[in-house]
Amino acid sequence: MPNGLIVGCESVLVPYAPGHAGLLLAVAAFGMLAGDVTVGRIVPPRWRARLALPLLLLLAAPYLVFAAGRGCRSR
């Protein structure tokens, strides 16, 4: 999934958990920042190109929980 589509995935958080949407958005942003810093500081430059596709797929992995879970149900 292209990383630009993650914004669309984040829009699912508001109806999924209206009372905790802000927290979920903050945690998602913190996770992306932590991943960027970790890869930028720890992974050697020669490995980064090789890890690009797995890391891109990993970016969307947490949102699969919402797709596989209870989802959004209207009340």
Side-chain angles (χ1 to χ4, degrees), residues 6-61:
I6 294 301
V7 174
C9 294
E10 287 178 345
S11 67
V12 173
L13 298 177
V14 176
Y16 186 80
H20 301 296
L23 177 65
L24 290 172
L25 288 167
V27 169
F30 178 75
M32 285 187 255
L33 175 66
D36 289 346
V37 170
T38 300
V39 170
R41 294 287 182 181
I42 295 176
V43 176
R46 66 181 183 277
W47 287 12
R48 290 183 197 149
R50 196 176 321 157
L51 292 175
L53 181 62
L55 290 173
L56 185 64
L57 296 172
L58 185 63
L59 180 66

